[in-house]
mmCIF file of all heavy atoms in Angstrom:
data_model
loop_
_atom_site.group_PDB
_atom_site.id
_atom_site.type_symbol
_atom_site.label_atom_id
_atom_site.label_comp_id
_atom_site.label_asym_id
_atom_site.label_seq_id
_atom_site.Cartn_x
_atom_site.Cartn_y
_atom_site.Cartn_z
ATOM 1 N N THR C 197 112.676 86.588 93.118
ATOM 2 C CA THR C 197 111.647 87.480 92.611
ATOM 3 C C THR C 197 111.949 88.079 91.240
ATOM 4 O O THR C 197 111.023 88.519 90.538
ATOM 5 C CB THR C 197 111.441 88.669 93.588
ATOM 6 O OG1 THR C 197 112.627 89.457 93.638
ATOM 7 C CG2 THR C 197 111.120 88.141 94.981
ATOM 8 N N GLY C 198 113.215 88.127 90.881
ATOM 9 C CA GLY C 198 113.602 88.792 89.629
ATOM 10 C C GLY C 198 113.498 90.304 89.746
ATOM 11 O O GLY C 198 113.498 91.003 88.726
ATOM 12 N N LYS C 199 113.415 90.853 90.966
ATOM 13 C CA LYS C 199 113.181 92.272 91.174
ATOM 14 C C LYS C 199 114.410 92.971 91.742
ATOM 15 O O LYS C 199 115.307 92.356 92.282
ATOM 16 C CB LYS C 199 111.990 92.462 92.134
ATOM 17 C CG LYS C 199 110.775 91.618 91.787
ATOM 18 C CD LYS C 199 110.256 91.874 90.383
ATOM 19 C CE LYS C 199 109.055 90.984 90.076
ATOM 20 N NZ LYS C 199 108.534 91.192 88.703
ATOM 21 N N SER C 200 114.395 94.309 91.641
ATOM 22 C CA SER C 200 115.410 95.103 92.311
ATOM 23 C C SER C 200 115.160 95.085 93.813
ATOM 24 O O SER C 200 114.016 95.078 94.253
ATOM 25 C CB SER C 200 115.404 96.544 91.795
ATOM 26 O OG SER C 200 115.755 96.609 90.440
ATOM 27 N N VAL C 201 116.236 95.071 94.573
ATOM 28 C CA VAL C 201 116.140 94.920 96.039
ATOM 29 C C VAL C 201 116.831 96.076 96.721
ATOM 30 O O VAL C 201 117.966 96.417 96.392
ATOM 31 C CB VAL C 201 116.781 93.590 96.493
ATOM 32 C CG1 VAL C 201 116.628 93.421 98.014
ATOM 33 C CG2 VAL C 201 116.187 92.403 95.759
ATOM 34 N N VAL C 202 116.155 96.665 97.694
ATOM 35 C CA VAL C 202 116.787 97.598 98.624
ATOM 36 C C VAL C 202 116.636 96.966 100.004
ATOM 37 O O VAL C 202 115.555 96.944 100.578
ATOM 38 C CB VAL C 202 116.134 98.982 98.586
ATOM 39 C CG1 VAL C 202 116.815 99.909 99.583
ATOM 40 C CG2 VAL C 202 116.194 99.577 97.170
ATOM 41 N N LEU C 203 117.722 96.443 100.522
ATOM 42 C CA LEU C 203 117.723 95.732 101.816
ATOM 43 C C LEU C 203 118.060 96.747 102.883
ATOM 44 O O LEU C 203 119.126 97.364 102.868
ATOM 45 C CB LEU C 203 118.751 94.605 101.777
ATOM 46 C CG LEU C 203 118.830 93.706 103.014
ATOM 47 C CD1 LEU C 203 117.545 92.902 103.201
ATOM 48 C CD2 LEU C 203 120.017 92.751 102.882
ATOM 49 N N THR C 204 117.159 96.887 103.876
ATOM 50 C CA THR C 204 117.334 97.902 104.895
ATOM 51 C C THR C 204 117.820 97.287 106.214
ATOM 52 O O THR C 204 117.792 96.082 106.412
ATOM 53 C CB THR C 204 116.031 98.670 105.138
ATOM 54 O OG1 THR C 204 115.048 97.769 105.694
ATOM 55 C CG2 THR C 204 115.489 99.238 103.846
ATOM 56 N N GLY C 205 118.289 98.185 107.098
ATOM 57 C CA GLY C 205 118.780 97.719 108.401
ATOM 58 C C GLY C 205 120.113 97.020 108.342
ATOM 59 O O GLY C 205 120.428 96.220 109.211
ATOM 60 N N VAL C 206 120.904 97.344 107.305
ATOM 61 C CA VAL C 206 122.235 96.705 107.142
ATOM 62 C C VAL C 206 123.224 97.410 108.057
ATOM 63 O O VAL C 206 123.423 98.626 107.988
ATOM 64 C CB VAL C 206 122.691 96.784 105.690
ATOM 65 C CG1 VAL C 206 124.094 96.169 105.540
ATOM 66 C CG2 VAL C 206 121.690 96.084 104.781
ATOM 67 N N CYS C 207 123.865 96.633 108.933
ATOM 68 C CA CYS C 207 124.810 97.200 109.909
ATOM 69 C C CYS C 207 126.175 96.509 109.761
ATOM 70 O O CYS C 207 126.356 95.425 110.294
ATOM 71 C CB CYS C 207 124.291 97.023 111.332
ATOM 72 S SG CYS C 207 122.711 97.798 111.678
ATOM 73 N N PRO C 208 127.125 97.111 109.067
ATOM 74 C CA PRO C 208 128.439 96.484 108.926
ATOM 75 C C PRO C 208 129.277 96.546 110.189
ATOM 76 O O PRO C 208 130.209 95.770 110.355
ATOM 77 C CB PRO C 208 129.083 97.310 107.810
ATOM 78 C CG PRO C 208 128.446 98.672 107.929
ATOM 79 C CD PRO C 208 127.036 98.410 108.357
ATOM 80 N N ASP C 209 128.936 97.472 111.073
ATOM 81 C CA ASP C 209 129.646 97.621 112.361
ATOM 82 C C ASP C 209 128.707 98.315 113.341
ATOM 83 O O ASP C 209 127.561 98.657 113.018
ATOM 84 C CB ASP C 209 130.954 98.403 112.192
ATOM 85 C CG ASP C 209 130.748 99.719 111.474
ATOM 86 O OD1 ASP C 209 129.923 100.529 111.953
ATOM 87 O OD2 ASP C 209 131.377 99.959 110.425
ATOM 88 N N GLU C 210 129.201 98.575 114.551
ATOM 89 C CA GLU C 210 128.349 99.159 115.597
ATOM 90 C C GLU C 210 128.025 100.616 115.346
ATOM 91 O O GLU C 210 127.075 101.142 115.934
ATOM 92 C CB GLU C 210 129.032 99.008 116.952
ATOM 93 C CG GLU C 210 129.177 97.553 117.406
ATOM 94 C CD GLU C 210 129.822 97.452 118.777
ATOM 95 O OE1 GLU C 210 130.229 98.517 119.305
ATOM 96 O OE2 GLU C 210 129.925 96.343 119.311
ATOM 97 N N LYS C 211 128.779 101.280 114.472
ATOM 98 C CA LYS C 211 128.606 102.731 114.281
ATOM 99 C C LYS C 211 127.821 103.105 113.046
ATOM 100 O O LYS C 211 127.469 104.281 112.874
ATOM 101 C CB LYS C 211 129.972 103.418 114.250
ATOM 102 C CG LYS C 211 130.772 103.297 115.547
ATOM 103 C CD LYS C 211 132.076 104.036 115.463
ATOM 104 C CE LYS C 211 132.864 103.954 116.766
ATOM 105 N NZ LYS C 211 134.166 104.683 116.675
ATOM 106 N N SER C 212 127.518 102.144 112.170
ATOM 107 C CA SER C 212 126.914 102.471 110.879
ATOM 108 C C SER C 212 125.646 101.655 110.644
ATOM 109 O O SER C 212 125.539 100.507 111.102
ATOM 110 C CB SER C 212 127.905 102.195 109.740
ATOM 111 O OG SER C 212 129.101 102.899 109.917
ATOM 112 N N ILE C 213 124.710 102.244 109.903
ATOM 113 C CA ILE C 213 123.497 101.532 109.485
ATOM 114 C C ILE C 213 123.051 102.119 108.160
ATOM 115 O O ILE C 213 123.298 103.301 107.874
ATOM 116 C CB ILE C 213 122.387 101.656 110.554
ATOM 117 C CG1 ILE C 213 121.220 100.746 110.214
ATOM 118 C CG2 ILE C 213 121.937 103.103 110.711
ATOM 119 C CD1 ILE C 213 120.207 100.604 111.354
ATOM 120 N N GLY C 214 122.393 101.292 107.363
ATOM 121 C CA GLY C 214 121.957 101.812 106.070
ATOM 122 C C GLY C 214 121.297 100.738 105.230
ATOM 123 O O GLY C 214 120.585 99.865 105.767
ATOM 124 N N ALA C 215 121.529 100.794 103.931
ATOM 125 C CA ALA C 215 120.836 99.906 103.001
ATOM 126 C C ALA C 215 121.809 99.395 101.944
ATOM 127 O O ALA C 215 122.807 100.032 101.637
ATOM 128 C CB ALA C 215 119.694 100.665 102.317
ATOM 129 N N ALA C 216 121.489 98.197 101.442
ATOM 130 C CA ALA C 216 122.221 97.627 100.325
ATOM 131 C C ALA C 216 121.269 97.587 99.141
ATOM 132 O O ALA C 216 120.114 97.172 99.260
ATOM 133 C CB ALA C 216 122.686 96.219 100.657
ATOM 134 N N VAL C 217 121.751 98.001 97.978
ATOM 135 C CA VAL C 217 120.922 98.152 96.778
ATOM 136 C C VAL C 217 121.440 97.230 95.693
ATOM 137 O O VAL C 217 122.635 97.263 95.352
ATOM 138 C CB VAL C 217 120.944 99.618 96.281
ATOM 139 C CG1 VAL C 217 120.046 99.776 95.065
ATOM 140 C CG2 VAL C 217 120.545 100.571 97.385
ATOM 141 N N PHE C 218 120.548 96.429 95.124
ATOM 142 C CA PHE C 218 120.918 95.517 94.041
ATOM 143 C C PHE C 218 119.878 95.660 92.929
ATOM 144 O O PHE C 218 118.719 95.320 93.116
ATOM 145 C CB PHE C 218 120.964 94.068 94.548
ATOM 146 C CG PHE C 218 121.462 93.074 93.532
ATOM 147 C CD1 PHE C 218 122.396 93.425 92.580
ATOM 148 C CD2 PHE C 218 120.983 91.776 93.532
ATOM 149 C CE1 PHE C 218 122.852 92.502 91.644
ATOM 150 C CE2 PHE C 218 121.428 90.840 92.606
ATOM 151 C CZ PHE C 218 122.357 91.199 91.662
ATOM 152 N N ASP C 219 120.323 96.186 91.797
ATOM 153 C CA ASP C 219 119.425 96.387 90.665
ATOM 154 C C ASP C 219 119.516 95.282 89.629
ATOM 155 O O ASP C 219 118.958 95.383 88.536
ATOM 156 C CB ASP C 219 119.699 97.726 90.001
ATOM 157 C CG ASP C 219 121.120 97.838 89.439
ATOM 158 O OD1 ASP C 219 121.874 96.844 89.498
ATOM 159 O OD2 ASP C 219 121.476 98.930 88.975
ATOM 160 N N GLY C 220 120.204 94.219 89.976
ATOM 161 C CA GLY C 220 120.393 93.102 89.042
ATOM 162 C C GLY C 220 121.739 93.115 88.369
ATOM 163 O O GLY C 220 122.214 92.106 87.884
ATOM 164 N N ASP C 221 122.366 94.309 88.362
ATOM 165 C CA ASP C 221 123.696 94.460 87.771
ATOM 166 C C ASP C 221 124.752 94.785 88.817
ATOM 167 O O ASP C 221 125.800 94.165 88.859
ATOM 168 C CB ASP C 221 123.682 95.552 86.688
ATOM 169 C CG ASP C 221 122.793 95.208 85.507
ATOM 170 O OD1 ASP C 221 122.857 94.060 85.045
ATOM 171 O OD2 ASP C 221 122.061 96.092 85.038
ATOM 172 N N ASN C 222 124.450 95.770 89.642
ATOM 173 C CA ASN C 222 125.433 96.256 90.608
ATOM 174 C C ASN C 222 124.868 96.220 92.020
ATOM 175 O O ASN C 222 123.670 96.402 92.240
ATOM 176 C CB ASN C 222 125.835 97.704 90.278
ATOM 177 C CG ASN C 222 126.423 97.833 88.898
ATOM 178 O OD1 ASN C 222 127.419 97.189 88.589
ATOM 179 N ND2 ASN C 222 125.798 98.661 88.066
ATOM 180 N N ILE C 223 125.770 95.970 92.976
ATOM 181 C CA ILE C 223 125.419 96.091 94.404
ATOM 182 C C ILE C 223 126.130 97.323 94.944
ATOM 183 O O ILE C 223 127.325 97.486 94.813
ATOM 184 C CB ILE C 223 125.870 94.834 95.179
ATOM 185 C CG1 ILE C 223 125.078 93.611 94.726
ATOM 186 C CG2 ILE C 223 125.706 95.048 96.683
ATOM 187 C CD1 ILE C 223 125.502 92.314 95.378
ATOM 188 N N ASP C 224 125.340 98.192 95.575
ATOM 189 C CA ASP C 224 125.878 99.415 96.168
ATOM 190 C C ASP C 224 125.363 99.544 97.604
ATOM 191 O O ASP C 224 124.315 98.984 97.948
ATOM 192 C CB ASP C 224 125.451 100.640 95.353
ATOM 193 C CG ASP C 224 126.037 100.633 93.938
ATOM 194 O OD1 ASP C 224 127.261 100.787 93.835
ATOM 195 O OD2 ASP C 224 125.246 100.468 92.975
ATOM 196 N N TYR C 225 126.075 100.307 98.390
ATOM 197 C CA TYR C 225 125.720 100.485 99.798
ATOM 198 C C TYR C 225 125.554 101.965 100.116
ATOM 199 O O TYR C 225 126.279 102.802 99.593
ATOM 200 C CB TYR C 225 126.794 99.881 100.701
ATOM 201 C CG TYR C 225 126.922 98.397 100.605
ATOM 202 C CD1 TYR C 225 127.772 97.806 99.645
ATOM 203 C CD2 TYR C 225 126.201 97.551 101.448
ATOM 204 C CE1 TYR C 225 127.879 96.421 99.558
ATOM 205 C CE2 TYR C 225 126.299 96.168 101.356
ATOM 206 C CZ TYR C 225 127.135 95.609 100.404
ATOM 207 O OH TYR C 225 127.249 94.247 100.310
ATOM 208 N N CYS C 226 124.600 102.249 100.984
ATOM 209 C CA CYS C 226 124.378 103.604 101.487
ATOM 210 C C CYS C 226 124.359 103.509 103.021
ATOM 211 O O CYS C 226 123.496 102.836 103.581
ATOM 212 C CB CYS C 226 123.037 104.153 101.024
ATOM 213 S SG CYS C 226 122.670 103.957 99.280
ATOM 214 N N PHE C 227 125.286 104.183 103.672
ATOM 215 C CA PHE C 227 125.374 104.115 105.123
ATOM 216 C C PHE C 227 125.349 105.509 105.741
ATOM 217 O O PHE C 227 125.728 106.493 105.106
ATOM 218 C CB PHE C 227 126.661 103.410 105.570
ATOM 219 C CG PHE C 227 126.680 101.937 105.243
ATOM 220 C CD1 PHE C 227 127.666 101.414 104.397
ATOM 221 C CD2 PHE C 227 125.740 101.072 105.778
ATOM 222 C CE1 PHE C 227 127.691 100.053 104.100
ATOM 223 C CE2 PHE C 227 125.753 99.727 105.484
ATOM 224 C CZ PHE C 227 126.734 99.219 104.641
ATOM 225 N N ALA C 228 124.905 105.542 106.982
ATOM 226 C CA ALA C 228 124.935 106.770 107.771
ATOM 227 C C ALA C 228 125.366 106.388 109.191
ATOM 228 O O ALA C 228 125.317 105.215 109.581
ATOM 229 C CB ALA C 228 123.562 107.441 107.793
#
Side-chain angles (χ1 to χ4, degrees):
T197 65
K199 313 303 179 181
S200 294
V201 182
V202 179
L203 184 66
T204 66
V206 178
C207 300
D209 53 56
E210 294 181 356
K211 297 182 179 180
S212 304
I213 189 169
V217 182
F218 185 32
D219 61 5
D221 295 318
N222 301 301
I223 294 176
D224 295 292
Y225 294 89
C226 313
F227 291 119

